[in-house]
Amino acid sequence: MQISVTIRGEDILLKTHACGDLRSEHIGQEVTLAGWVHRRRDHGGLIFIDLRDSRGLAQVVFDPEDAPDAHAAARNVRGEYVLSVTGEVVARRGSTENPNMPTGEIEVRAASVEVLNAARTPPFAINEETEVEELLRLRYRYLDLRRERMQRNMRIRHRTVAYIRRFLHERDFIEIETPILTNSTPEGARDYLVPSRIQHGSFYALPQSPQQYKQLLMVAGFERYFQIARCFRDEDLRADRQPDFTQLDLEMSFATEEDILALFEELFTGLVREVRPDAKLVTPFPRMTYAESMRRFGTDKPDLRFGMELCDVSDLVASSEFGVFSNAVKSGGVVEGICVPGGAEMSRKQVDSLTAFVQGYGAKGLVSIALLGEGAVDTLTIEDVKSPVAKYLSEALVRGVAEKMEAKRGDLLLFVAGEGGKPKLDAGSAQRVKPALDGLRREVASRLELADPNTLHYVFITEFPLVEWSDEENRWDALHHLFVAPFDEDLPLFETDPAAIRSRAYDAVCNGQELGSGSVRIHQREMQERVLRLLGISDEDAQARFGHMLEAFEFGAPPHAGFAPGIDRIVAQLAGEEDIREVIAFPKTKSGADPMTGAPSPVTDEQLEVLGIRVVEEREEP
RNA sequence: GGCCGCGUGGUGUAGUGGUUUAACACGCCUCCCUGUCAAGGAGGAGAUCGGCGGUUCGAGUCCGCUCGCGGUCGCCA
């Protein structure tokens, strides 16, 4: 490595070695390092500077007797100054070695130093991992990225993407780019729109995913496509959602569910072993149908690192004296619960806070039953039960419920009841029970630290419903998207019971987080039209919006299937981060802003003029 | 859109029974110091407590509104 630059009319050699790469094998060599002042220790005589570059740290010693000019220069140097230092690599004297750093056996005795740039005192410490308010980190993201955590995360991200590209290349997939300026599809998420200058009043949309393009690439005969694709969805943000995010988009012709799932099991397994060899991986990846996942966990993205599965006790409590339970069941609703192992010791206050927690999910309340005492559960008496509603409970009921939930003494049973016949969003409706218990299950696990943070428990969820009823729009809505193929044997249900149609869609889930989804696609015009009709899309509408897809299917479209896991979430899990913002170089805040560039921002009247756009002033509602 | 939390020197926090020079650590500045590596020692500067309004003799502290950030429900095919 030889990097030089012209400064003040002189050619200056900036760098011959990387700081972090120096080892005892370099002893005796004269090297030139370039990097940032990580830390400076001024002893009045000797000055030590830890110089940092992208490879790591090296200690540079400035000795006034060796090199008075360099020493004098080093006195004025401060943190984050950019230096080029030339000197000899020497062995450290025995007691001054630093076993805590990779370069700790050596140091560089500075002969000369060039200050390439000074630096203001940074707004937060670069050289230590202190917590800093996220807004400030984002405003100075280029400084935040300089810190160790983000340097590490960005490198994990690079290795992940590099692994994926190599893996798929070796299996004959080719990477093809698709347009960022594309067409709006008023299904699914809200689109980001880009006005057309040439055609006033018309807009491009940024792709929510390259879905249509990748299917058309299958029609085009590439057979195996992938792309590390940027996708855009204009919806409210979360810790695992950004307005623009990255997906591994993949499509394969002549493939079935099994081909895709096997491919991704191999990919994820290899990826974890490559990037996180220390992580515990559960293999082979379990498969679970949507119906089973909903029944056992109340969600389509279950965290399998711990138990506490949901248990439906409706039949056992139907005739209970406890009105909340019996009325729920009588009205066609349900009573379900979970068993918290060892939870009987939970305080009243803790249980109360769990009640408030499930109410946040629209549950009416939470009924707790603590099982106390010693011995088998079939010896339980009413004296062994601690519950706010104990007086309504019979010994037989508690025994029956405890037995069905496989509870032991010392456990805490938590129940949520929901009445039938209520609209989905009403508090206490039966449809709120599963989401509430899913939330409760994860909350309890988090409080009791039941989920091993070092385990990656993948699971494939299969056989999603094709459609669900939308009260808002008063029609059937695609659960996944419009192009998912239904199971052949469920076709008769189109006329009789659309909600029961299973689709050939699948999700990859890890530790309770959805990593991505995919499906076998429709590849025949007639089937596609049938699905569009089910969704209440008129033939004219279908022709206008999806005519190109329908037409393509008439020209020898092969059967095909695909998948699209989110890169940001995968990397976050591999990096052990909770928030995908920690693995994105320049993320946006929850309100979709970039505090560094100030985006989004107003544009000039001239810019709007060319686009034929007028901004409407926002008015207060009366 | 709903609910919840947070906002105090450059950074991270303390201070909320109302009245005090608003405290501590790190950082920063000056001086001393030749083997440190979270160097050490001495001294110093630096916050009108996110903003506006209100209650009060008196507000960092209480109330209302507002802005920003975050979490969550809805939403996210």
Side-chain angles (χ1 to χ4, degrees):
Chain A
M1 173 165 49
Q2 294 273 322
I3 303 169
S4 58
V5 74
T6 307
I7 293 179
R8 294 189 290 273
E10 280 180 79
D11 272 349
I12 292 184
L13 184 63
L14 288 180
K15 193 167 192 166
T16 60
H17 292 73
C19 299
D21 289 345
L22 292 182
R23 293 293 183 275
S24 44
E25 69 198 66
H26 298 101
I27 288 169
Q29 293 184 27
E30 181 179 84
V31 298
T32 300
L33 305 176
W36 289 262
V37 175
H38 187 68
R39 206 167 250 120
R40 174 174 163 278
R41 294 175 293 279
D42 187 345
H43 285 230
L46 284 183
I47 295 173
F48 299 94
I49 285 178
D50 294 336
L51 198 65
R52 181 189 69 237
D53 63 17
S54 61
R55 305 282 304 165
L57 294 175
Q59 173 167 284
V60 181
V61 192
F62 294 83
D63 189 329
E65 289 173 14
D66 275 13
D69 290 351
H71 179 266
R75 289 189 64 177
N76 294 318
V77 158
R78 292 295 181 269
E80 300 306 313
Y81 273 41
V82 186
L83 308 182
S84 176
V85 178
T86 301
E88 187 187 349
V89 179
V90 299
R92 294 205 201 177
R93 290 198 295 246
S95 63
T96 66
E97 285 186 7
N98 186 344
N100 297 321
M101 49 197 290
T103 61
E105 290 182 10
I106 55 92
E107 63 193 4
V108 174
R109 295 197 74 84
S112 65
V113 60
E114 188 72 37
V115 176
L116 301 174
N117 211 345
R120 285 163 53 188
T121 302
F124 48 83
I126 309 296
N127 57 13
E128 48 187 280
E129 295 298 300
T130 49
E131 279 295 311
V132 179
E133 192 187 325
E134 197 171 356
L135 183 62
L136 191 68
R137 292 175 59 198
L138 292 183
R139 186 172 295 149
Y140 295 96
R141 189 58 157 183
Y142 47 88
L143 295 179
D144 188 38
L145 288 166
R146 228 183 243 176
R147 307 207 300 170
E148 190 178 338
R149 176 189 192 177
M150 294 304 294
Q151 288 272 321
R152 167 182 162 271
N153 286 355
M154 288 302 110
R155 288 188 161 78
I156 289 175
R157 186 175 182 122
H158 166 73
R159 283 164 59 204
T160 300
V161 172
Y163 182 91
I164 290 171
R165 284 209 161 95
R166 191 175 71 242
F167 178 95
L168 293 174
H169 168 76
E170 284 167 359
R171 282 157 188 78
D172 214 25
F173 285 84
I174 67 167
E175 186 166 12
I176 302 176
E177 291 169 87
T178 54
I180 292 295
L181 294 177
T182 176
N183 216 2
S184 174
T185 51
E187 297 288 331
R190 220 171 277 124
D191 285 319
Y192 277 100
L193 298 175
V194 179
S196 161
R197 176 180 56 82
I198 316 281
Q199 301 179 39
H200 285 186
S202 284
F203 294 81
Y204 301 97
L206 306 183
Q208 296 181 25
S209 79
Q211 182 60 37
Q212 295 187 32
Y213 287 109
K214 68 172 166 178
Q215 288 191 246
L216 294 169
L217 288 169
M218 294 303 101
V219 181
F222 286 103
E223 295 196 30
R224 292 176 171 218
Y225 143 92
F226 82 100
Q227 182 182 188
I228 307 293
R230 198 59 77 85
C231 306
F232 307 85
R233 292 176 194 175
D234 188 3
E235 293 291 345
D236 285 358
L237 306 180
R238 285 285 202 295
D240 58 0
R241 277 193 237 155
Q242 280 277 300
D244 59 328
F245 60 100
T246 307
Q247 279 190 345
L248 161 58
D249 194 53
L250 180 141
E251 198 75 13
M252 189 175 172
S253 293
F254 311 112
T256 64
E257 290 92 330
E258 191 49 43
D259 298 312
I260 300 289
L261 297 188
L263 179 77
F264 274 89
E265 177 158 346
E266 200 187 342
L267 174 58
F268 286 137
T269 304
L271 193 53
V272 172
R273 299 220 164 107
E274 163 96 1
V275 181
R276 276 292 301 280
D278 60 304
K280 272 176 252 156
L281 194 58
V282 180
T283 54
F285 294 179
R287 311 272 178 94
M288 200 183 293
T289 65
Y290 172 87
E292 182 183 354
S293 182
M294 291 305 289
R295 180 175 56 77
R296 292 174 57 190
F297 302 99
T299 174
D300 59 3
K301 39 179 198 283
D303 192 333
L304 299 185
R305 288 175 298 174
F306 51 89
M308 294 194 292
E309 295 188 17
L310 276 52
C311 184
D312 189 333
V313 295
S314 304
D315 52 335
L316 295 175
V317 302
S319 54
S320 158
E321 284 174 42
F322 183 43
V324 170
F325 281 179
S326 51
N327 290 339
V329 180
K330 269 181 218 146
S331 66
V334 291
V335 179
E336 297 192 46
I338 61 171
C339 169
V340 181
E345 293 180 7
M346 233 181 250
S347 70
R348 174 69 190 267
K349 196 175 164 187
Q350 287 172 304
V351 175
D352 283 350
S353 80
L354 290 176
T355 303
F357 181 83
V358 296
Q359 283 168 340
Y361 283 81
K364 206 64 175 281
L366 186 67
V367 173
S368 64
I369 300 179
L371 306 180
L372 309 175
E374 304 284 327
V377 286
D378 56 8
T379 63
L380 271 171
T381 69
I382 210 70
E383 273 72 49
D384 298 325
V385 169
K386 188 178 75 179
S387 169
V389 300
K391 60 181 168 181
Y392 303 108
L393 303 173
S394 70
E395 192 175 291
L397 182 128
V398 174
R399 279 190 193 175
V401 163
E403 214 159 283
K404 181 162 186 186
M405 297 175 80
E406 295 175 11
K408 296 192 294 291
R409 293 183 190 251
D411 293 350
L412 178 71
L413 310 181
L414 297 171
F415 299 94
V416 173
E419 298 194 359
K422 287 189 175 183
K424 196 180 168 191
L425 293 179
D426 273 17
S429 89
Q431 291 99 317
R432 308 306 308 157
V433 170
K434 281 186 180 297
L437 284 173
D438 164 46
L440 181 68
R441 181 175 169 269
R442 286 181 286 120
E443 175 67 15
V444 169
S446 147
R447 291 189 190 189
L448 302 180
E449 295 181 348
L450 298 180
D452 176 6
N454 207 34
T455 293
L456 292 167
H457 205 320
Y458 290 88
V459 54
F460 288 119
I461 307 296
T462 61
E463 299 182 26
F464 280 77
L466 184 71
V467 295
E468 64 181 345
W469 183 254
S470 164
D471 284 333
E472 271 173 34
E473 313 201 32
N474 199 37
R475 62 174 180 84
W476 294 101
D477 218 351
L479 194 77
H480 196 166
H481 60 64
L482 299 168
F483 308 105
V484 179
F487 274 82
D488 280 345
E489 57 265 43
D490 290 351
L491 292 180
L493 298 169
F494 268 69
E495 279 68 44
T496 57
D497 186 7
I501 306 169
R502 292 167 302 153
S503 73
R504 299 177 69 181
Y506 33 82
D507 276 7
V509 169
C510 181
N511 296 358
Q513 189 174 35
E514 183 194 320
L515 290 185
S517 53
S519 62
V520 174
R521 324 294 185 186
I522 295 168
H523 65 285
Q524 286 163 324
R525 176 167 187 143
E526 187 187 306
M527 179 64 72
Q528 188 67 67
E529 286 176 329
R530 201 168 167 189
V531 169
L532 291 171
R533 276 196 297 273
L534 175 65
L535 298 174
I537 298 172
S538 70
D539 288 355
E540 300 79 61
D541 244 24
Q543 189 54 42
R545 284 156 55 189
F546 307 111
H548 56 289
M549 295 293 287
L550 295 170
E551 194 175 17
F553 292 159
E554 293 183 295
F555 287 101
H560 56 286
F563 201 66
I567 296 286
D568 310 288
R569 291 181 183 179
I570 290 172
V571 176
Q573 289 193 338
L574 291 173
E577 294 284 3
E578 301 275 324
D579 191 323
I580 63 170
R581 287 186 292 253
E582 301 298 343
V583 298
I584 296 173
F586 299 101
K588 293 181 177 59
T589 66
K590 210 197 156 200
S591 58
D594 175 356
M596 187 177 67
T597 62
S601 58
V603 296
T604 64
D605 290 344
E606 288 71 25
Q607 285 174 292
L608 291 175
E609 173 86 9
V610 202
L611 297 168
I613 285 187
R614 194 169 299 134
V615 176
V616 178
E617 292 296 322
E618 285 206 49
R619 275 165 205 266
E620 293 292 316
E621 294 291 326

